[in-house]
Amino acid sequence: MPSAFTPSPSPNPRRNDARRIKFGIWICSLIIVGAGTSTLIWISLVFVPFIGIFALPNLVISLCVLVYAIPFLVYLLLAQTDPPSHVKGLFLPLNPVRNFGITLATFQYLFFLLNTLPRVAVVAFRYVIWHNLLKKLDEENVQRERTTLDRAQPIPVKVGVRVGRETRVWKGKGKADQNAEEEEDEQQWEASLVVDELEEKEEEEGTEDSYGDKRYRGEGIFRDFAVYNVEYRLRKDARSALLDIYLPRCSKEDHLAEQNELEDPQDTAAAFGTTRSRAPDIDNDLADESSKSAPVSESDPMPRSSTNKDKKTRKRSIKGSGRPVVVFIYDVGALGVLKPRKEMFCLVGAKFAEMGYVTVVPDITLYPDGEVEEMVTDLRYVLSWVEREISKYDGIPSRIFLVGHGLGAHLAMYTLAQDAVVRSRDARQATLESKRQNEVVAKLNGTPMGRWKGRMDEDLPNGLRALSIYAEDVKLPTIKGIILLAPVSDIIKQIRFESKHWLEHISPIRRAHGLSQIMCMQHSLGHLLFAAKNVLQPERLPRRVMIVHGAQDRIVPFDSAHWLSELLYGLDVPTVFRPYRNLGHYDLLISIMKGFNSEYTEWLERDFRAFIET
């Protein structure tokens, strides 16, 4: 029996924190509405004679309230999960300089949303409703009308040949002419029966693609251009992880015509910045530097010339069954309350599908639902599913290309690098162990040590020794190439860059990649590749890499991409760096969306085609 002095159980602290956070959000919202309204009123009264003397101090007070209330609301929404260890209770900013910087960043974020979201929504609506659904209905109506007309046409028949239930009487014809026309009509009738049987079989089994292979084209109103919400794994919390597939609608002839644009040696070389003039704002100095630094070999992904033999080989590969596969990974570390989802990037998938590629856009676990381990696991399952199932959608499992944006680019490259580094380390350790055993055997047998004599360089960083592959049981396919759009190359440098703009606490990067500096370094692509430079086997990485970055990027520093390109070049990974002076972080993404034809769209599309098709 419990003692009378037994204390009552304390309430759940997490539940109390959740209640306090909700209460604080409501209070801050009310304060912002009141202070914003009073600010507008006092601004209008400042210029009124005599009243402006009293309005000016009140305006300053209202602005000060906003400068504190807005950061408080931002922190309550974004910074309460895994706060710093020294924080007890709610994590709120008190530094006025920090609050002013966060307020300016909030207004910039709201301006971006108000300027971009309506345009994207209109174009997406036009793409889904007008370009696809109405076009599909029109095509079905035209096909139905043609079928009705074909069935309504009278069929000429003749004596002695039964066609349907009618006969035709021949007059003024010779016997030879009559027999010849009878045989021709019989052949036409038999051919029409074969066509009818094939059409019925197609309707039962599925449509035949332009390359002559059967493939699944979706169901319902989205048939023939997209397949939505395909499950690729079941997560630990029993939630299904889904992906969308965008199918190319162009015919075989159109696809071949597009590829023939790259057949000319000048066009191919120009696509990589060797002969033709570049985009209006491309950084020529850095592009020339990256072109010079790119390793040239027999497997160089950037051919400078093209022979007739190369053209014939490329045409044979194009005429083969299937299309290249593009897997797009969105920015998994995006700032703000609007979290990215696969549906938001339907226009990106539609753009790559329009270029002739089977495009996969998966949903990836975001912080705080999961950290970097869960993100890497999701991506490994996505790539495994693509290799196993994409042939049903006319994709080529051996021609998979990854495209990532922002922290999604870091995730894509880190997933491949983690697998490559660990397997290279294990292979090296196995070789060293074999040499050590040979030395022991040689010493016991009195064999000269010359063959095995030498220093065993076993000095590995502690982080590299402890590194393991997340979801190692999920096999990764061979990746033909990877395109990194405004990539984060180093987590530590990115956190420092965000701290200069007072955003490190509301950004998910630090908390998603580890609360300690050691964990962030272990999950950083740049640190991992640099630490493994003496161990890594380059053939385990993607066979070629393209990095595209804009100099006007205010979210990921431009130096990040340039440093990554130099690091990959030092590791003997064929890399192409495409810098643009007047492109921002999201400008780069919008330029590759279907329906947004900026001055960079054609150049980016040409670069992507040359990278994937050559």
Side-chain angles (χ1 to χ4, degrees):
M1 184 174 180
S3 172
F5 298 99
T6 301
S8 60
S10 59
N12 189 349
R14 289 183 176 271
R15 184 176 301 175
N16 287 342
D17 289 343
R19 291 176 179 176
R20 284 186 291 176
I21 290 172
K22 290 182 180 180
F23 181 74
I25 291 174
W26 279 104
I27 294 298
C28 288
S29 301
L30 293 176
I31 293 175
I32 290 173
V33 171
T37 305
S38 62
T39 299
L40 296 177
I41 295 174
W42 294 123
I43 287 178
S44 62
L45 296 177
V46 163
F47 302 99
V48 178
F50 300 106
I51 300 179
I53 299 175
F54 303 97
L56 185 59
N58 292 315
L59 175 61
V60 174
I61 294 174
S62 299
L63 292 176
C64 291
V65 171
L66 285 176
V67 167
Y68 271 86
I70 292 176
F72 280 13
L73 179 61
V74 172
Y75 266 62
L76 288 171
L77 291 172
L78 302 176
Q80 300 307 312
T81 306
D82 296 327
S85 58
H86 65 275
V87 175
K88 305 298 182 182
L90 297 180
F91 181 34
L92 298 175
L94 299 177
N95 187 345
V97 179
R98 175 184 293 273
N99 289 347
F100 183 74
I102 293 174
T103 303
L104 289 181
T106 302
F107 281 111
Q108 293 175 357
Y109 176 72
L110 294 176
F111 176 78
F112 167 77
L113 291 182
L114 294 175
N115 185 42
T116 305
L117 287 184
R119 294 190 297 154
V120 174
V122 169
V123 176
F125 177 82
R126 184 175 60 189
Y127 161 70
V128 174
I129 302 299
W130 176 257
H131 183 74
N132 290 297
L133 300 187
L134 296 184
K135 184 177 180 181
K136 176 179 174 58
L137 293 176
D138 290 341
E139 292 175 353
E140 291 179 352
N141 291 334
V142 171
Q143 184 65 25
R144 191 179 299 110
E145 291 176 359
R146 289 178 178 175
T147 304
T148 304
L149 290 176
D150 292 341
R151 292 178 179 176
Q153 281 184 349
I155 303 176
V157 293
K158 46 193 176 294
V159 176
V161 179
R162 186 174 183 80
V163 184
R165 297 183 179 180
E166 302 290 338
T167 56
R168 185 174 61 184
V169 180
W170 294 86
K171 295 181 180 180
K173 294 279 187 178
K175 188 68 176 176
D177 296 337
Q178 180 178 349
N179 293 335
E181 293 190 11
E182 287 177 358
E183 292 178 0
E184 183 180 353
D185 287 348
E186 287 179 359
Q187 293 176 358
Q188 292 179 357
W189 175 252
E190 292 175 358
S192 65
L193 292 178
V194 173
V195 171
D196 291 341
E197 291 177 0
L198 290 176
E199 290 178 353
E200 292 177 359
K201 189 175 180 180
E202 278 186 14
E203 291 178 358
E204 295 177 357
E205 299 181 0
T207 55
E208 183 174 340
D209 78 320
S210 57
Y211 289 89
D213 296 329
K214 297 292 182 182
R215 58 175 173 172
Y216 179 70
R217 302 297 297 177
E219 298 176 353
I221 59 176
F222 298 109
R223 179 182 173 88
D224 289 334
F225 70 89
V227 182
Y228 292 105
N229 297 328
V230 179
E231 180 179 342
Y232 67 86
R233 70 168 294 206
L234 190 65
R235 297 193 176 104
K236 296 179 180 179
D237 55 0
R239 291 187 299 112
S240 296
L242 307 176
L243 55 82
D244 296 339
I245 307 170
Y246 297 87
L247 308 171
R249 301 186 66 182
C250 61
S251 64
K252 179 181 178 181
E253 291 75 13
D254 295 337
H255 187 59
L256 291 176
E258 292 171 356
Q259 306 314 320
N260 288 336
E261 295 179 359
L262 299 175
E263 295 297 329
D264 184 45
Q266 288 186 344
D267 286 345
T268 305
F272 301 102
T274 57
T275 59
R276 191 182 54 183
S277 61
R278 300 185 180 93
D281 68 343
I282 195 167
D283 198 325
N284 295 325
D285 298 334
L286 289 176
D288 292 337
E289 181 181 348
S290 64
S291 298
K292 293 177 182 178
S293 63
V296 180
S297 64
E298 295 180 358
S299 60
D300 188 2
M302 306 308 168
R304 300 297 185 253
S305 62
S306 178
T307 62
N308 292 332
K309 184 178 180 180
D310 296 332
K311 293 181 182 179
K312 293 178 181 179
T313 303
R314 197 178 305 142
K315 286 182 179 179
R316 283 198 299 268
S317 65
I318 292 172
K319 291 180 180 179
S321 172
R323 310 285 186 102
V325 181
V326 172
V327 181
F328 177 77
I329 309 300
Y330 50 73
D331 193 344
V332 296
L335 290 167
V337 295
L338 187 63
K339 298 301 181 182
R341 293 183 55 85
K342 59 183 176 60
E343 292 82 7
M344 299 179 184
F345 303 92
C346 63
L347 298 179
V348 177
K351 183 64 177 180
F352 281 106
E354 185 182 52
M355 295 167 61
Y357 312 130
V358 179
T359 308
V360 178
V361 182
D363 256 341
I364 302 295
T365 301
L366 303 178
Y367 181 84
D369 296 332
E371 298 181 357
V372 64
E373 181 176 355
E374 190 69 19
M375 298 177 188
V376 171
T377 302
D378 278 352
L379 184 54
R380 292 182 70 95
Y381 271 99
V382 168
L383 296 177
S384 176
W385 183 95
V386 168
E387 183 186 34
R388 186 175 63 255
E389 302 289 341
I390 203 62
S391 58
K392 299 178 182 178
Y393 304 89
D394 196 34
I396 306 176
S398 61
R399 298 199 63 194
I400 302 175
F401 293 84
L402 269 174
V403 179
H405 177 243
L407 200 62
H410 178 276
L411 173 64
M413 193 65 190
Y414 177 81
T415 301
L416 305 179
Q418 183 191 65
D419 189 271
V421 169
V422 172
R423 298 191 187 281
S424 300
R425 180 202 64 189
D426 294 345
R428 177 179 179 273
Q429 292 300 104
T431 302
L432 293 177
E433 185 66 24
S434 176
K435 288 184 177 181
R436 187 184 294 107
Q437 292 177 0
N438 291 336
E439 285 187 349
V440 173
V441 172
K443 185 180 294 186
L444 293 175
N445 297 333
T447 305
M449 298 287 294
R451 236 182 331 176
W452 300 288
K453 192 174 182 179
R455 179 176 178 269
M456 296 290 186
D457 187 11
E458 302 180 26
D459 297 331
L460 292 177
N462 292 332
L464 197 59
R465 289 177 181 271
L467 185 66
S468 60
I469 300 175
Y470 296 143
E472 187 176 5
D473 56 325
V474 182
K475 181 180 177 294
L476 282 180
T478 301
I479 304 299
K480 295 288 288 185
I482 183 170
I483 301 176
L484 307 176
L485 307 176
V488 175
S489 61
D490 191 293
I491 298 299
I492 301 296
K493 291 182 179 179
Q494 182 65 24
I495 293 175
R496 293 173 181 171
F497 176 80
E498 291 178 348
S499 64
K500 294 180 181 178
H501 299 83
W502 314 104
L503 302 175
E504 73 277 14
H505 292 151
I506 61 178
S507 171
I509 291 181
R510 177 187 61 85
R511 294 168 289 172
H513 289 79
L515 298 179
S516 66
Q517 185 175 1
I518 295 177
M519 295 179 67
C520 286
M521 293 174 64
Q522 190 176 11
H523 293 145
S524 174
L525 173 63
H527 278 84
L528 177 62
L529 293 177
F530 186 80
K533 61 182 182 295
N534 296 325
V535 179
L536 180 64
Q537 300 172 355
E539 60 271 13
R540 296 184 182 272
L541 289 174
R543 299 182 180 180
R544 43 189 168 155
V545 179
M546 173 184 283
I547 302 176
V548 184
H549 207 122
Q552 301 304 317
D553 197 326
R554 297 293 180 264
I555 297 179
V556 179
F558 179 78
D559 295 339
S560 174
H562 188 238
W563 179 79
L564 180 60
S565 67
E566 294 294 330
L567 178 61
L568 291 174
Y569 165 68
L571 295 172
D572 293 332
V573 178
T575 306
V576 175
F577 183 40
R578 309 299 286 165
Y580 288 87
R581 288 198 180 118
N582 296 328
L583 271 180
H585 188 75
Y586 289 104
D587 296 334
L588 180 59
L589 185 63
I590 293 174
S591 297
I592 61 172
M593 286 186 174
K594 183 178 177 64
F596 289 90
N597 294 321
S598 67
E599 57 180 322
Y600 311 101
T601 301
E602 180 182 355
W603 297 88
L604 292 171
E605 183 177 344
R606 179 175 288 272
D607 284 343
F608 294 163
R609 285 187 186 279
F611 182 80
I612 294 175
E613 296 295 340
T614 54

